[in-house]
Amino acid sequence: MEPIYCTVLPGSPDELGVPPEADKTKHKQSLAIEELLSTERGYLNMIQLCAVDIRNRLKQKQLPDFDLEGLFANIDDVIDVSSKLLYQLELMDTENPQYLQALSDTFLSMRSELENTYKEYCASYSNILILEARYREREELDKAIQETITSTAPHTNATNLSFFLVMPVQRIARYQLLLQTILKNTEPSHPAYRSLQATVDSTVALNSNINEYKRLKEVADKYNKPENLTLMDKIYRINTHSIAKKTARLSQMLKHEAGFLPKTEDKEFDALEEYFLALERGVADLQDNVSTFVKHFEEFLSRRPHECELDIETEVAFRNYKELSAILHKHIYPKYMHRLKSLVLQPLCSLQELFACPQNMIRKRLHKLLDFEKIEEKRRETGSITYEEQEAANTYQAINTLLLTEMPKFNGMATQLLIRAMETFIFIQRDFAADVNHIASGYLQHLPHNKLPDYTFWSWAEGMFLKEAKSLQQISQTFEAELNPHFILPLTPSSQRRLSELTKRYKSEQIYQASSDIKGGRDMDLSLSRGELVAVIQEMDTKGDKRRWLVEAGGNRGYVPASRINPYHPTGQTASPSPAIVDEASKRHSVVVVSPAIESPVLPSLQVQEDYEVFAAYDFSARSIHEVSLRAGELVTVLEHHDRQGNPQWTLVEVQGQKGYVPSNYLMVVPVPGISASSRKT
């Protein structure tokens, strides 16, 4: 077989030094890798220049109404993740055959960190632009920013902050393009090709997730934007479209309640919402309790015993107690209150405010869910929906997805903050006790009862406090009874209906009336209007506190202060006297039941009382020291036909040697037997 000879023609690729196709691909791959590294170095340098130098100089100028935190968002986190990425990429020489595998592993391992960091920044970027535009409109702020940029980074030729702040938004998309270029110029047979392909797919998904998160945040911002609308603004918003939308939602809710349509169930969301609501109540209760504690402690501080003359056994004990009290009031108590307010109460108030945004989103989700159900019902019936309906469905899905994504994070962080607040409260209490004990240790030996064992001392102290508290409560009740005598307020038609309902289920002795407006401030408290009727169920709360009574007010049950409600005795009693009284009355010719509400014979005056006898028509149980109990048929002596305020609905009587007030309509007047009408006239 003849040998074949190849001749290299002038101008061929080999003669001209042009590399073969494989070398071209490798060269492009090397250029793409070098571009990735060099641009990452430049990018990191620029955002560090912005976040460190420029921001610090702006902070030093202390510009008025300038939100540095909002303007730079989480750029510090961006710097951290970029520094970490660059460090990992520079660990190995780019000429190393294993470099592509190392590059892929780096991006895959940092994928979640990159996504979490950049999605927050990209979602905040629209607010950054709004802030910058607002500052650009203010001449003083704009001039200060430009001077800072020019003096700090003159080589960049930047004129505003957006030159730097847009870089993270551009950079996260640039990763995908550079990695796709590297993959495009890598042979499929290369050992790292599969890893590179996975890395490219990961960056594509990463950018997609960031865009979706940004869209969800924009929806949330739209519905969480505070609106200070006047009444006229709200009226102007009413139109046929809004009325139709609200009518459709109401119709959907009524169908759910009536059982015509099944409710859309989302067990995952329902569990998150239940935990969120429980957490919100916990934060509110703790904040309310700490606020009450602070208020009571401030009232305690207003009492300054070291400035008063105290009844203490010896002069030495008196002097030492005054010194101890003065030191505590001057140093220990103010320090304790400052720590309690700044480290516990203020964080709790701030935490409680954070619940407003999720609450609003949960409410909006319910409204959009009703729209979504209506749209899906139409889609099943007709097979098509309008563009506006599709947008409404997308809005619901966006809000639902955002809540499912963000509520677990919020619940977790809020739980940690709540636990931290309780732990801080405990630590402050311990420190406070240690400080008081340290100060008091030098004075205790000079104070009374210092020789008593701890158990004996605390038993004695508890007994003294309980004794004084009981005495104070009795004095308070006496003053309250003197200053606020019981009186019956007229009933409105709604109160009359409630009275009818309550008397069917409760005894007349259980019916009470609010003597003043009551505003519930604690969990399970009821709010009542003056004159509103309630039925007393239990004369104490679950903790045994007899100052709070459990009552029912037309179906609602809750606690009210016992001192703010009085027994209700209707002015027109419809109950009949017992048969024994009727028989006794028939023997005495005639019976007159006193009722100040109607024009009827009234009790005779004291001057002609010998012509009549007064009996109790019904049983009555005294509710205060100023009232007296009656039994049906019991003879009473009338002392006054009215109370101290001149109210004829109450009568001062004497029964078996005891004096007190009774309802006038619980009495009946009977003529004395043997005295004729003519003799009574004379």
Side-chain angles (χ1 to χ4, degrees):
M1 186 174 180
E2 295 281 340
I4 300 176
Y5 297 95
C6 295
T7 303
V8 178
L9 298 175
S12 66
D14 288 341
E15 183 180 343
L16 296 176
V18 178
E21 191 66 28
D23 293 339
K24 286 183 179 180
T25 302
K26 186 169 181 59
H27 181 64
K28 291 180 180 180
Q29 182 191 85
S30 300
L31 291 176
I33 294 173
E34 183 58 35
E35 183 181 358
L36 174 63
L37 294 174
S38 61
T39 54
E40 187 68 20
R41 295 187 194 100
Y43 161 68
L44 181 59
N45 181 60
M46 295 297 279
I47 58 176
Q48 284 177 334
L49 178 66
C50 173
V52 178
D53 298 341
I54 296 177
R55 182 171 61 179
N56 287 343
R57 292 199 178 187
L58 289 173
K59 187 176 182 180
Q60 291 173 0
K61 291 186 176 183
Q62 297 182 349
L63 301 173
D65 300 328
F66 191 70
D67 185 8
L68 274 176
E69 296 297 328
L71 189 61
F72 289 90
N74 65 325
I75 197 168
D76 291 328
D77 297 333
V78 175
I79 291 174
D80 291 341
V81 73
S82 178
S83 301
K84 184 178 178 181
L85 176 64
L86 183 60
Y87 173 77
Q88 295 290 334
L89 293 177
E90 290 181 337
L91 280 178
M92 188 179 294
D93 187 8
T94 57
E95 298 299 328
N96 192 313
Q98 300 295 325
Y99 185 79
L100 289 180
Q101 184 64 47
L103 182 145
S104 301
D105 293 343
T106 297
F107 272 96
L108 290 175
S109 64
M110 294 187 62
R111 183 270 170 89
S112 60
E113 192 173 354
L114 285 166
E115 180 177 336
N116 292 334
T117 302
Y118 277 93
K119 76 178 182 181
E120 290 297 336
Y121 187 88
C122 293
S124 305
Y125 185 66
S126 57
N127 293 330
I128 292 173
L129 293 179
I130 293 173
L131 282 175
E132 194 194 9
R134 187 185 305 164
Y135 299 151
R136 200 178 297 148
E137 293 175 355
R138 297 170 58 183
E139 185 176 350
E140 294 180 0
L141 284 180
D142 186 44
K143 183 178 179 181
I145 293 172
Q146 288 186 9
E147 289 177 352
T148 303
I149 295 174
T150 303
S151 60
T152 307
H155 59 284
T156 61
N157 295 325
T159 58
N160 51 57
L161 286 174
S162 61
F163 175 84
F164 301 96
L165 298 176
V166 74
M167 288 182 178
V169 179
Q170 297 171 336
R171 187 62 186 172
I172 193 63
R174 184 68 174 164
Y175 289 139
Q176 176 182 335
L177 298 176
L178 291 171
L179 289 172
Q180 286 175 337
T181 303
I182 295 173
L183 177 65
K184 181 180 178 182
N185 293 284
T186 302
E187 294 292 336
S189 59
H190 194 283
Y193 186 84
R194 290 179 178 272
S195 297
L196 275 174
Q197 182 65 59
T199 303
V200 171
D201 295 341
S202 175
T203 55
V204 172
L206 183 148
N207 279 281
S208 176
N209 291 344
I210 290 175
N211 290 333
E212 179 64 15
Y213 182 79
K214 186 174 182 296
R215 185 180 72 87
L216 295 178
K217 290 286 285 186
E218 289 174 351
V219 172
D221 291 341
K222 173 184 176 183
Y223 290 105
N224 281 322
K225 188 180 299 182
E227 294 183 336
N228 299 321
L229 299 178
T230 63
L231 178 61
M232 292 305 300
D233 293 335
K234 294 179 180 180
I235 293 175
Y236 289 146
R237 282 193 170 189
I238 299 175
N239 51 46
T240 55
H241 175 71
S242 63
I243 294 174
K245 184 166 61 175
K246 287 176 173 55
T247 303
R249 290 174 181 173
L250 179 60
S251 172
Q252 201 75 3
M253 291 181 67
L254 293 176
K255 290 179 182 178
H256 287 326
E257 296 299 326
F260 297 140
L261 285 177
K263 294 183 179 180
T264 302
E265 293 186 359
D266 189 337
K267 294 183 178 180
E268 182 182 2
F269 176 81
D270 292 342
L272 289 172
E273 183 184 16
E274 182 179 2
Y275 185 86
F276 172 83
L277 296 176
L279 186 62
E280 182 190 16
R281 287 194 298 270
V283 172
D285 288 344
L286 183 59
Q287 190 266 342
D288 180 59
N289 291 337
V290 174
S291 298
T292 304
F293 178 80
V294 169
K295 179 181 177 182
H296 290 169
F297 198 86
E298 288 176 342
E299 292 178 358
F300 165 75
L301 291 181
S302 65
R303 311 295 188 265
R304 308 177 70 83
H306 54 281
E307 298 177 358
C308 304
E309 294 296 328
L310 304 176
D311 184 15
I312 299 181
E313 298 175 359
T314 64
E315 179 66 25
V316 175
F318 174 69
R319 186 172 60 254
N320 279 273
Y321 179 80
K322 289 188 69 172
E323 290 179 5
L324 174 60
S325 178
I327 293 174
L328 293 177
H329 276 77
K330 185 176 181 180
H331 300 288
I332 305 301
Y333 294 155
K335 174 186 173 184
Y336 169 69
M337 285 300 295
H338 174 72
R339 295 186 66 197
L340 192 62
K341 289 181 179 179
S342 60
L343 300 180
V344 179
L345 185 57
Q346 289 180 2
L348 282 175
C349 293
S350 300
L351 178 59
Q352 192 173 11
E353 291 175 359
L354 295 178
F355 283 87
C357 177
Q359 277 179 337
N360 189 39
M361 290 301 298
I362 291 173
R363 185 170 61 254
K364 289 295 182 181
R365 176 192 177 275
L366 174 61
H367 296 165
K368 298 301 178 182
L369 174 59
L370 297 173
D371 297 339
F372 179 77
E373 290 175 341
K374 194 73 175 177
I375 292 168
E376 289 299 305
E377 183 180 350
K378 179 181 178 182
R379 193 199 301 271
R380 288 191 298 268
E381 293 176 356
T382 64
S384 62
I385 56 176
T386 63
Y387 175 79
E388 289 78 11
E389 290 171 336
Q390 184 62 52
E391 283 295 311
N394 293 340
T395 300
Y396 161 73
Q397 292 171 341
I399 294 176
N400 188 60
T401 303
L402 182 65
L403 287 173
L404 291 176
T405 304
E406 297 300 318
M407 278 184 67
K409 301 177 185 177
F410 180 88
N411 289 345
M413 293 181 64
T415 302
Q416 292 179 3
L417 292 174
L418 179 60
I419 294 173
R420 190 173 301 172
M422 291 189 289
E423 291 175 344
T424 304
F425 181 79
I426 294 171
F427 292 147
I428 292 175
Q429 294 294 103
R430 289 178 179 175
D431 293 344
F432 174 62
D435 291 342
V436 172
N437 188 53
H438 175 71
I439 297 295
S441 59
Y443 295 90
L444 291 180
Q445 57 184 346
H446 303 294
L447 297 179
H449 310 290
N450 64 305
K451 302 296 184 182
L452 294 178
D454 289 347
Y455 176 79
T456 306
F457 172 77
W458 288 115
S459 298
W460 168 82
E462 183 180 5
M464 289 296 295
F465 276 118
L466 291 177
K467 180 181 177 181
E468 295 298 329
K470 185 176 181 181
S471 175
L472 182 62
Q473 184 178 9
Q474 291 176 349
I475 294 173
S476 175
Q477 290 176 350
T478 302
F479 270 95
E480 185 176 355
E482 289 285 347
L483 297 176
N484 300 303
H486 294 175
F487 56 92
I488 304 299
L489 297 173
L491 297 183
T492 62
S494 60
S495 296
Q496 292 175 354
R497 289 193 295 270
R498 180 178 294 182
L499 176 62
S500 176
E501 295 174 0
L502 294 177
T503 51
K504 292 178 182 178
R505 290 179 290 158
Y506 300 97
K507 298 178 181 179
S508 59
E509 294 82 2
Q510 293 178 269
I511 309 301
Y512 277 65
Q513 188 176 43
S515 59
S516 61
D517 291 337
I518 301 174
K519 185 177 181 182
R522 297 166 59 182
D523 193 20
M524 291 295 295
D525 280 0
L526 280 183
S527 295
L528 300 176
S529 301
R530 183 171 181 266
E532 197 168 348
L533 296 177
V534 296
V536 175
I537 301 174
Q538 189 175 14
E539 296 182 358
M540 66 176 66
D541 62 9
T542 54
K543 297 181 180 179
D545 187 357
K546 295 185 178 182
R547 294 173 300 177
R548 298 175 73 229
W549 286 5
L550 178 63
V551 302
E552 178 182 335
N556 298 323
R557 291 190 177 188
Y559 295 100
V560 296
S563 60
R564 306 282 289 279
I565 56 175
N566 296 325
Y568 176 77
H569 303 299
T571 57
Q573 187 64 260
T574 58
S576 300
S578 61
I581 301 301
V582 175
D583 293 340
E584 182 68 22
S586 63
K587 296 176 183 178
R588 298 175 185 241
H589 309 294
S590 63
V591 177
V592 179
V593 178
V594 179
S595 179
I598 57 176
E599 293 185 1
S600 59
V602 296
L603 286 174
S605 63
L606 294 176
Q607 287 75 11
V608 295
Q609 191 172 359
E610 62 271 15
D611 297 345
Y612 293 88
E613 289 181 342
V614 182
F615 290 82
Y618 313 102
D619 290 338
F620 173 70
S621 298
R623 293 290 182 172
S624 72
I625 59 175
H626 298 282
E627 297 176 0
V628 64
S629 299
L630 298 176
R631 287 183 300 172
E634 195 170 20
L635 180 66
V636 301
T637 301
V638 176
L639 303 179
E640 291 183 0
H641 299 282
H642 53 76
D643 61 12
R644 295 184 180 182
Q645 306 295 324
N647 185 2
Q649 295 175 357
W650 291 87
T651 301
L652 180 63
V653 301
E654 182 176 353
V655 183
Q656 297 182 359
Q658 294 183 352
K659 297 179 181 180
Y661 288 97
V662 297
S664 300
N665 56 322
Y666 275 57
L667 303 177
M668 63 181 181
V669 182
V670 179
V672 176
I675 300 179
S676 64
S678 59
S679 64
R680 282 196 300 272
K681 289 180 181 178
T682 60

